[in-house]
Amino acid sequence: MSSNVRVLQCAPADVFEVLAEGWLYPSWVVGASRMRDVDATWPQPGSELHHSVGVWPVLINDKTVVEEYEPPRRMVMRARGWPVGEARVTLQVKERGSGCVVRIHEEAIAGPGRLVPRVLMDAMLHWRNAETLHRLAYLAEGRAAPVEYVVSPASGVAAEGEGEAEAEAGPATDADGEAAAEGRGASS
């Protein structure tokens, strides 16, 4: 069984928000290339993600099924990737200070993947799952630190703090002191 661990700068709930959004699966799972469908009940036990593995023109359509879902601590999935086989993937999340620790365990449970010597399989899975956790961290940490925006008549949308002076100053004026007709289709 291959195992990887990563410390994330977010709460366990942020990780589970990503896991609960089935359409994000190919964004964090290395090897999954696209989503075809997500059950309406995802991520409840028994629900399925229908995804493709590989790159065009060699794509394999398969699925992942939830076996256990215990937010914000644990999720177990049975990931299919035939003709290689099936794997059981367990994600465990524990709070640590202001962040959390995410551990991923993966083991081949069916198909030809079980015949690969454990040392070789663990080495391949370790590399793959290190990148998987890296991607999951980007998504979960990104959710944990949202940027607030304000709308400014003069500059459109700006990040928090930017454009506030313009928003308070009122509409922009032209050289004659008349209100500028920005974006209204007016012409002189």
Side-chain angles (χ1 to χ4, degrees):
M1 174 190 308
S2 176
S3 197
N4 293 68
V5 178
R6 185 176 179 104
V7 176
L8 278 66
Q9 301 304 311
C10 62
D14 297 312
V15 174
F16 274 81
E17 282 183 26
V18 174
L19 299 177
E21 179 53 61
W23 290 100
L24 289 177
Y25 189 78
S27 299
W28 62 274
V29 175
V30 174
S33 55
R34 66 178 179 192
M35 291 302 303
R36 298 185 335 275
D37 193 24
V38 176
D39 283 359
T41 58
W42 181 267
Q44 297 307 311
S47 61
E48 300 178 352
L49 292 176
H50 300 271
H51 54 82
S52 299
V53 177
V55 294
W56 186 89
V58 183
L59 286 170
I60 299 168
N61 292 335
D62 231 318
K63 67 182 179 180
T64 294
V65 180
V66 176
E67 292 184 344
E68 297 175 36
Y69 184 68
E70 303 166 13
R73 296 181 340 230
R74 178 178 162 92
M75 183 174 194
V76 180
M77 298 174 283
R78 184 178 183 117
R80 292 175 38 123
W82 288 93
V84 176
E86 298 179 26
R88 177 163 291 115
V89 180
T90 303
L91 289 158
Q92 296 173 313
V93 184
K94 292 184 180 180
E95 191 170 356
R96 176 185 280 174
S98 62
C100 64
V101 176
V102 180
R103 179 180 308 273
I104 185 170
H105 299 285
E106 183 171 351
E107 65 179 316
I109 57 172
R114 288 184 39 194
L115 303 176
V116 175
R118 186 176 185 153
V119 173
L120 291 175
M121 182 62 79
D122 284 352
M124 291 185 295
L125 291 176
H126 186 79
W127 170 82
R128 177 178 166 265
N129 287 334
E131 177 62 19
T132 291
L133 287 179
H134 185 78
R135 294 177 183 188
L136 181 59
Y138 276 132
L139 294 168
E141 290 171 348
R143 285 175 181 263
V147 176
E148 294 185 29
Y149 292 92
V150 293
V151 177
S152 165
S155 63
V157 177
E160 180 179 11
E162 295 177 20
E164 289 178 5
E166 294 89 347
E168 292 172 5
T173 58
D174 64 14
D176 296 325
E178 294 183 26
E182 292 180 59
R184 294 189 202 117
S187 61
S188 308

